[in-house]
Amino acid sequence: MPRPLQSLCDQWYCPCCAGFWIALVLHALTGFWTLPDLENLPSFVGVLREPVAWTLDALATATLIYAAILKIKAIGLPAMKARMMKAAFPKSAYQAQLQDK
């Protein structure tokens, strides 16, 4: 694959990078703004006003996506540990009984 496509493919594994590109595409298709105030950037930005606004909005969306993923993982980790400990308990109890005999 060409280097730019290879880099884009590698970035899909990063939730923040994928969120950025998805936000850009969704904004282009729907016109939805995560931060509506970015739509009215000052005129001194000039010609770059729209690309800068889109980029900042996509970065904000990617940050929110990444924060949500971190929150989901933070909730899921204790639940996963508890399940693993519950599964390991009968095994350790059985091994303790065998050692006592």
Side-chain angles (χ1 to χ4, degrees), residues 23-82:
L24 273 179
V25 170
L26 285 177
H27 179 79
L29 293 175
T30 64
F32 175 76
W33 290 87
T34 302
L35 302 173
D37 291 339
L38 288 173
E39 190 174 7
N40 303 319
L41 282 181
S43 59
F44 69 82
V45 179
V47 179
L48 296 176
R49 190 167 107 180
E50 192 169 328
V52 168
W54 280 33
T55 302
L56 291 175
D57 192 61
L59 285 172
T61 305
T63 303
L64 291 173
I65 290 170
Y66 191 61
I69 288 172
L70 286 177
K71 186 182 277 189
I72 289 170
K73 285 183 180 179
I75 292 169
L77 182 63
M80 186 172 59
K81 276 190 170 182

